[in-house]
Amino acid sequence: MISKEVGSFSTANPLSAKGKRTQATGPGCRPERARPRARCPRAAGAGRVPPSAHLRRPQSWVGTARSGRTMGTTAGQQLRALFYVVPPGESSFRTLDEVPDYVEKSIPFFIAFIVLEFAVSWVQQRKLPGRINDGISSLSLGILSRLPDVLFRSVDLVSYVYVWNNYKLFELPWDSHWTWYLTFLGVDFAYYWFHRVSHEVNILWAAHQVHHSSEDYNLFTALRQSCLQRYTSWMFNLPMALFIPPSVFAVHLQFNLLYQFWIHTEVITNIGPLEWILNTPSHHRVHHGRNPYCIDKNYGGTLIIWDRIFGAFEAEDAKVVYGLTHPVNSFEPILLQLRPLAHIWNTFWATPGFCNKLSVIFKGPGWGPGKPRLGLPEEIPAVTGNEVPFNPSVPAYLNCYAVVHFAVIMELYIDLLATVTTLSQQTILLRIGIIILSLTSFGFLMESRPKAGILEIIRCAVFLGAYKIGYLRNQLSLLDYAYEVLFSLCIAFWGIQTMRRITSSKDKHL
């Protein structure tokens, strides 16, 4: 569930197979069509790849090595993919159909590293690296950012393949080590400029700022992503489509994103001489800081050399305070996604002059009439070191409640990815709606909003109704009864809580 700064990725239509193809049953399912057996690709160098091969649906996420021998990615390869140390001989593929979905297969490693980070932080400092409310918010934003992949093709790859099929100047060999390393540099260079422009152009910052809105810095933050960012990042990769095969580009697009997962941590301080070349946790902590010395620094994805070359590098110095210069103070995912756009809209109409209105959109987020393009550095709020993160007080049982119900929604989300090819469009949209409703309700609960109880009653009732009808049937039959009991009790609990609140409110007015 990660995207562009550790973002989401799919090498083909997400409505194609993802995971196991079990025959689902129930009113929301459709019978699975018989599929022709995939042909084995020709040996390396056996001829030109037909253009249609770059857009076919894959029969599975099993890659084909350079020799043409079908092979699955091993656990060791998946682990090494997180650190960009899978060599060309193990990660060169002839067509997009053969490229593994490294990102989706890395989900177990994401979980394992998050658990490891918590354990190491507790041993080192006797404290946890994050908070439940912020962690749920980050994961909610990660899930929300990937939901479009369930319905649509990857914009990055569709646009890339279109340019490749229609406008390529020449074709580099897909199985050449030189092509592999050139693409490594090209993807990282394109990411550097996309990332930098996303901080320096207000309308692009409105999408990217979601990733910076957390006031914690941990591996949960890596998964905190924008729904909108993917619709602007694709254009920076198009020059490579003039000569680099899509299958090579797809591999490096994933590796570049995966690398950025592990650098979102405070438990790793310094990695020695590699700090000169690679983007590291230390460098990326600066990037996420709201200290004046951290603003608009260290944009690199995998390599930090671009920042050193183009004058945007800053070493970690004073203690970094994380988050936005003007914190959003919310855990509600839809608000976090859309409020910056609402701010631009209001500022656009409040600013006089047509040229100034355009500047609101295309200049920096700190710009105003009479100011430089990126705003005035002295207007950046000072950091005292005593900043307190947004952390509304909620009962301990509510934190436990949120964790349990978030786990249920996570299971629903994973099942949606695994069985999407067997589901009707109506069922897919219903499940997406329930996921969005649930993530929104969790945000309300974590903020102790007055309407949270009513929204939770609606959410539990919708979930239970869809489950009883069969639209959310679980693979484990043992959970069916447990879910029905759980959600029935939750409806009753929140009904009682809401009635108490209403009664209390009436008593105060008497």
Side-chain angles (χ1 to χ4, degrees), residues 320-336:
V320 178
V321 177
Y322 304 108
L324 302 171
T325 56
H326 300 89
V328 180
N329 292 340
S330 177
F331 299 122
E332 201 273 288
I334 302 298
L335 177 67
L336 288 168

Side-chain angles (χ1 to χ4, degrees), residues 57-369:
R57 292 184 177 185
Q59 298 301 316
S60 65
W61 291 114
V62 175
T64 304
R66 292 181 46 163
S67 62
R69 177 173 58 86
T70 300
M71 54 176 282
T73 55
T74 65
Q77 287 174 323
Q78 287 299 140
L79 177 60
R80 287 185 282 119
L82 285 171
F83 301 95
Y84 222 131
V85 288
V86 182
E90 297 179 18
S91 55
S92 296
F93 306 95
R94 184 169 172 266
T95 68
L96 276 178
D97 292 5
E98 301 160 5
V99 178
D101 192 340
Y102 290 102
V103 173
E104 186 171 315
K105 291 183 177 182
S106 295
I107 290 177
F109 290 102
F110 297 158
I111 297 172
F113 275 108
I114 288 172
V115 172
L116 180 62
E117 180 187 36
F118 271 68
V120 172
S121 180
W122 181 257
V123 170
Q124 288 180 341
Q125 305 176 27
R126 286 295 185 268
K127 70 174 186 178
L128 298 179
R131 297 164 291 149
I132 290 176
N133 47 23
D134 189 79
I136 289 178
S137 177
S138 292
L139 292 175
S140 296
L141 288 163
I143 291 174
L144 200 63
S145 72
R146 286 212 66 186
L147 289 179
D149 288 343
V150 177
L151 298 173
F152 310 110
R153 292 177 183 267
S154 164
V155 177
D156 280 307
L157 289 173
V158 168
S159 58
Y160 192 96
V161 169
Y162 177 81
V163 172
W164 169 263
N165 286 339
N166 294 279
Y167 301 105
K168 68 173 176 285
L169 302 178
F170 56 92
E171 181 174 344
L172 294 178
W174 63 269
D175 54 351
S176 166
H177 285 203
W178 288 107
T179 303
W180 195 96
Y181 288 110
L182 177 64
T183 310
F184 160 68
L185 292 174
V187 167
D188 200 58
F189 185 71
Y191 176 80
Y192 171 82
W193 283 108
F194 154 71
H195 195 185
R196 183 164 183 164
V197 171
S198 293
H199 279 254
E200 297 183 358
V201 175
N202 202 16
I203 191 66
L204 301 186
W205 170 246
H208 182 63
Q209 63 84 36
V210 173
H211 181 68
H212 287 264
S213 59
S214 173
E215 294 177 276
D216 294 339
Y217 188 76
N218 51 43
L219 295 179
F220 283 125
T221 309
L223 306 176
R224 189 183 190 95
Q225 297 300 325
S226 166
C227 288
L228 305 174
Q229 187 169 283
R230 70 186 64 214
Y231 302 109
T232 58
S233 61
W234 56 272
M235 62 187 74
F236 291 83
N237 296 315
L238 294 186
M240 288 181 286
L242 299 176
F243 53 92
I244 292 176
S247 60
V248 185
F249 167 74
V251 168
H252 287 278
L253 185 63
Q254 293 187 82
F255 287 173
N256 188 274
L257 306 183
L258 286 173
Y259 179 89
Q260 294 175 59
F261 172 74
W262 71 273
I263 62 177
H264 289 80
T265 185
E266 291 187 292
V267 300
I268 300 175
T269 55
N270 188 286
I271 60 173
L274 292 178
E275 298 277 342
W276 287 93
I277 302 171
L278 299 177
N279 191 16
T280 66
S282 176
H283 299 329
H284 207 59
R285 284 193 289 270
V286 171
H287 179 72
H288 273 259
R290 69 191 205 210
N291 312 54
Y293 87 91
C294 297
I295 301 299
D296 296 338
K297 300 296 182 181
N298 299 0
Y299 298 107
T302 302
L303 301 174
I304 202 65
I305 59 173
W306 312 121
D307 291 286
R308 295 183 184 277
I309 292 172
F310 297 108
F313 175 75
E314 188 71 40
E316 189 175 19
D317 186 12
K319 178 177 172 56
V320 178
V321 177
Y322 304 108
L324 302 171
T325 56
H326 300 89
V328 180
N329 292 340
S330 177
F331 299 122
E332 201 273 288
I334 302 298
L335 177 67
L336 288 168
Q337 297 279 357
L338 299 181
R339 194 164 84 166
L341 292 175
H343 175 71
I344 290 178
W345 175 265
N346 294 332
T347 305
F348 178 87
W349 291 111
T351 302
F354 179 73
C355 291
N356 285 338
K357 289 183 184 296
L358 291 180
S359 295
V360 168
I361 298 174
F362 297 109
K363 289 187 178 180
W367 178 86

